[in-house]
């Protein structure tokens, strides 16, 4: 892979890289009944990263098909696709567009950007851990990353909930987003 050394990291050469959907997982975690966690993921998405000559000027974008949400429980997935949550008929996509790289320490970068869910756009900060670069056994260049952040779903209009007899609510407000992935040079 065409890499270069930057601040003791072997990073990809400048250029545009597309997410490898076969090797990328977009997941989330939310509290359930105040006592456990529910995990889910989105199966349909596309995105790219443009690595700049100065890596701190790089940019990224991601589009997720909301109807591809999957928690492993059909009834729950149907509820999440409905108007109480993602309203996939009205809002078929959620998007992220970076606005700037805030800073970095070693292989960890902080990326600011705009997240849009249900036509509500809010600024968020992502923690991006650069995983390294290489060439797979079939000669394709790849580089990897882990992205994490936490959002308050109610800020995006996802306010449905149900009070519990024991106190608290059925669905937590905070949603942890976890993305593991790889990117390849754009064709």
């Amino acid at each position: 892979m065409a890499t270069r050394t930057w601040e003791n990291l072997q990073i990809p050469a400048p250029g545009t890289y597309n997410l490898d959907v076969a090797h990328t997982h977009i997941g989330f975690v939310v509290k359930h009944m105040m006592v456990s966690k529910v995990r889910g993921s989105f199966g349909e998405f596309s995105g790219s990263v443009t690595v700049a000559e100065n890596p701190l000027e790089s940019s990224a974008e991601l589009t997720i098909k909301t109807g591809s949400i999957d928690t492993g429980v059909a009834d729950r997935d149907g509820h999440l696709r409905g108007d109480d949550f993602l309203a996939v008929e009205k809002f078929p996509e959620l998007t992220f567009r970076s606005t700037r790289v805030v800073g970095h320490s070693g292989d960890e970068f902080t990326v600011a950007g705009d997240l849009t869910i249900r036509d509500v756009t809010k600024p968020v900060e992502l923690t991006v851990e650069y995983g390294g670069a290489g060439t797979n056994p079939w000669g394709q260049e790849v580089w990897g990353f882990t992205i994490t952040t936490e959002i308050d779903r109610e800020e995006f209009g996802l306010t449905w909930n149900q009070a519990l007899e024991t106190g608290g609510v059925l669905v937590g407000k905070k949603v942890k987003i976890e993305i593991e992935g790889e990117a390849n040079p754009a064709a």
Side-chain angles (χ1 to χ4, degrees), residues 27-31 37 96 111 113 115 117 122-128 147-156 172-179:
F28 61 89
V29 181
V30 65
K31 276 282 224 190
K37 296 176 183 173
F96 173 80
V111 177
L115 177 63
I117 303 173
K122 297 285 182 184
V124 297
E125 282 194 355
L126 310 178
T127 300
V128 180
I147 301 170
T148 57
T149 193
E150 185 175 273
I151 63 168
D152 180 337
R153 67 183 178 86
E154 292 183 353
E155 291 181 356
F156 294 91
K173 287 175 46 168
K174 300 292 183 185
V175 179
K176 292 181 182 177
I177 299 169
E178 305 167 334
I179 303 173

Side-chain angles (χ1 to χ4, degrees), residues 32-43:
H32 181 252
M33 292 189 57
M34 311 293 290
V35 298
S36 66
K37 296 176 183 173
V38 169
R39 295 182 182 276
S41 62
F42 291 94

Side-chain angles (χ1 to χ4, degrees), residues 45-149:
F45 54 86
S46 62
S48 65
V49 177
T50 300
V51 177
E53 187 64 42
N54 173 356
L56 299 179
E57 296 174 359
S58 298
S59 62
E61 60 181 46
L62 174 66
T63 300
I64 297 172
K65 299 292 184 185
T66 55
S68 71
I69 194 167
D70 181 6
T71 65
V73 177
D75 287 345
R76 179 172 49 220
D77 294 345
H79 190 200
L80 292 171
R81 289 184 187 108
D83 289 343
D84 286 340
F85 288 97
L86 294 172
V88 302
E89 295 296 321
K90 294 180 215 158
F91 309 107
E93 297 178 338
L94 62 88
T95 61
F96 173 80
R97 303 279 182 268
S98 68
T99 53
R100 65 189 178 99
V101 178
V102 177
H104 84 98
S105 176
D107 63 356
E108 192 171 281
F109 295 78
T110 301
V111 177
D114 293 323
L115 177 63
T116 302
I117 303 173
R118 291 180 59 123
D119 278 352
V120 176
T121 302
K122 297 285 182 184
V124 297
E125 282 194 355
L126 310 178
T127 300
V128 180
E129 181 184 346
Y130 172 66
T135 303
N136 71 20
W138 301 273
Q140 186 175 37
E141 298 174 351
V142 301
W143 59 271
F145 55 86
T146 299
I147 301 170
T148 57
T149 193

